[in-house]
Amino acid sequence: MTGTQSWSLQKAIFAALTTNAALLSQLGGPHVHDRVPADAQLPYITLGDGAWSDWSTGTEVGAVHDLRLHVWVRDGGRRVVRDIADAVHACLNDQALPLELGVLINLRFQDARILTDPDGETWHGVLSYRAVTDAG
């Protein structure tokens, strides 16, 4: 069941990110991707690797999810990465996102990093979140 909860959580996060007006304004549109299209324009966010583990009790089926979001920026550098990260934070942290399957108990920011891409022109922000879901 934890894989199903993880997929439901990913879909809820995607929906939250692609409908948040403040974030869409900073990205210049709904530039959030699971798989980046060849013609993608910066800046954009990608849904990164994640992991989940069983967190069931004797009476409830639940999971803990560790997930990453990636912010990709060329113009504006670190400042734009931080601004987008702040908009993502406002959109996701401690929000009660509706899940198709199960219930989101909590979704909390863990940490962030900003890196320079090997091309020397692109800035890359890595945002880590942890969520707990219940089968409901």
Side-chain angles (χ1 to χ4, degrees), residues 16-111:
L17 295 174
T18 57
T19 58
N20 182 279
L23 180 58
L24 295 180
S25 174
Q26 289 191 356
L27 294 175
H31 304 294
V32 179
H33 309 288
D34 186 19
R35 180 176 285 171
V36 182
D39 62 347
Q41 295 180 356
L42 294 167
Y44 60 79
I45 295 172
T46 56
L47 304 175
D49 295 337
W52 64 89
S53 58
D54 187 43
W55 196 59
S56 299
T57 66
T59 59
E60 303 196 24
V61 176
V64 174
H65 312 263
D66 291 308
L67 52 109
R68 281 167 199 70
L69 301 171
H70 299 266
V71 176
W72 302 92
V73 170
R74 186 153 296 140
D75 297 330
R78 288 184 179 103
R79 178 66 187 163
V80 174
V81 172
R82 284 187 174 97
D83 289 345
I84 293 171
D86 285 346
V88 169
H89 183 80
C91 183
L92 297 181
N93 193 59
D94 278 334
Q95 298 300 312
L97 304 180
L99 304 183
E100 286 181 359
L101 297 170
V103 176
L104 179 60
I105 305 300
N106 62 47
L107 174 59
R108 297 211 172 108
F109 172 77
Q110 297 293 301
D111 60 53

Side-chain angles (χ1 to χ4, degrees), residues 77-82 85 112-116 123-127:
R78 288 184 179 103
R79 178 66 187 163
V80 174
V81 172
R82 284 187 174 97
R113 291 177 286 145
I114 299 176
L115 312 162
T116 306
W123 293 93
H124 177 194
V126 182
L127 313 175

